Amino acid sequence: MTLRGRVVSLGAAGDLADGVVSFDGPLLDYVGPAKEFIGEMPPPPREPVVILPGLIDVHCHGGGGFGFPETDLAGVDAAASFHRGRGTTTLVASLVSATEAELRERIDVLGPAIDSGLLAGIHLEGPFISEHRRGAHDPDRILPGDPAMLDRLLDYAGGRIVSVTVAPETANFDALADVLAAANVVLSLGHTVADYRRSVHAMRRGWRVSITHLFNAMPELAHRDANFLTAAMAAAGRGDVVAEVIADGVHLADGTVRMVFDTLGADNLALITDAMAAAGCPDGRYHLGSLDVVVTDGVSRLYQPDGAGSIAGGTASASDVLRRTVFDAGVDLAAAVTAATATPARLLGLADRIGALRPGMRADVLVTDHHLTPLTVYKDGIPWNS
């Protein structure tokens, strides 16, 4: 397959106004200027197209009408397929706080999709988080930090768990961090009211450390009271952690998204969706784990009779988030693509295989129109038609 158009490669070729991406199998064999390509050259596209690395979403609870925390095997396939068809070639399935037995059952359901390559792994968002910043987590399923339970879950999952969200103030935090580091699992910090000192300590404890959806489910920035967010912004600015950013216009204002790109840099940010079952679906009633959710005007909230429930995940795809980051927040395309591909690939320890367009990398490719609307998705060199 030979693709021609504007290429945002994030490799030595850089951003090419007229570039070619070529592959005949699961790996890329040429990425560079069209004028230097040796082979059968396709004509320039009649309408402008943009060729990007496949998008990587490390925090997603579902989509297409199905949620990873509550659906069956067919629903897992449908949710993952929904996101792949919209440009996400590497997707981590996020769960919510649950009992050990419930999490084991979820591991069993998600396992086949991970083993087949449809999913890249599991993210446990909880249950070792703060009840004071629980967001859309069932308070009855939030637990004090239990290193033995975490170790059992990691062992049961057999390497399929790739990240775990933990609040720095939970019981036995250091022991939890040690368990994750020993297993090469990302320690993601969030859903927290930790003070500054404890937060700084936590951000130095992991094998790799991320911040679960920056600004959300944590105290607001307070210039006379340094807190978790203060520590997270500083650590991301230094490159010590990767901060997740939900740039969907709901979780963060567009100006806030532009601010974090300008101050922290794309190499330290990972664009995520935090999508739940309603992504790509009409307004209505849904579930997120054990909780009821209502979606109104595309905004998902926990069901409350007065309509004032907490935001409960997102309804955007990764390509929606990328498009909004560029056209509404005004972030440079290369920077936005870095945060949507290269940075999350590095966070997962997969930067040598995915997250950029370079010869020898996986042929995970997204072709869009000039508005960044997906046209064609390739996974391991195979077009995705779902």
Side-chain angles (χ1 to χ4, degrees), residues 26-85:
L27 302 179
L28 301 173
D29 53 50
Y30 179 84
V31 180
K35 64 183 179 181
E36 297 178 10
F37 178 67
I38 300 174
E40 185 175 349
M41 173 70 71
R46 281 182 285 185
E47 298 292 334
V49 299
V50 184
I51 305 169
L52 311 171
L55 306 181
I56 301 171
D57 189 357
V58 299
H59 188 150
C60 176
H61 296 281
F66 301 92
F68 298 127
E70 66 274 349
T71 193
D72 59 12
L73 185 59
V76 169
D77 183 85
S81 297
F82 164 81
H83 285 287
R84 183 164 292 182

Side-chain angles (χ1 to χ4, degrees), residues 56-59 163-165 186-190 202-204 206-215 218 228 231-246 260-261 264-272 338-349:
I56 301 171
D57 189 357
V58 299
H59 188 150
S163 63
V164 179
T165 295
V186 174
L187 167 64
S188 195
L189 302 170
M203 290 168 198
R204 296 170 175 166
W207 169 71
R208 287 193 179 92
V209 181
S210 68
I211 305 300
T212 299
H213 41 53
L214 188 71
F215 291 102
M218 61 188 67
F228 176 85
M233 294 281 286
R238 292 192 302 269
D240 293 343
V241 305
V242 169
E244 296 177 352
V245 175
I246 316 174
V260 295
F261 270 87
L264 304 183
D267 288 339
N268 303 318
L269 301 174
L271 288 175
I272 64 165
T338 295
T341 60
T343 303
R346 191 181 80 246
L347 180 65
L348 294 174

Side-chain angles (χ1 to χ4, degrees), residues 351-377:
D352 60 334
R353 285 171 270 176
I354 59 174
L357 299 178
R358 292 193 298 268
M361 302 280 278
R362 279 190 205 163
D364 291 358
V365 183
L366 170 60
V367 182
T368 77
D369 64 16
H370 68 289
H371 293 296
L372 300 180
T373 300
L375 300 174
T376 312
V377 182

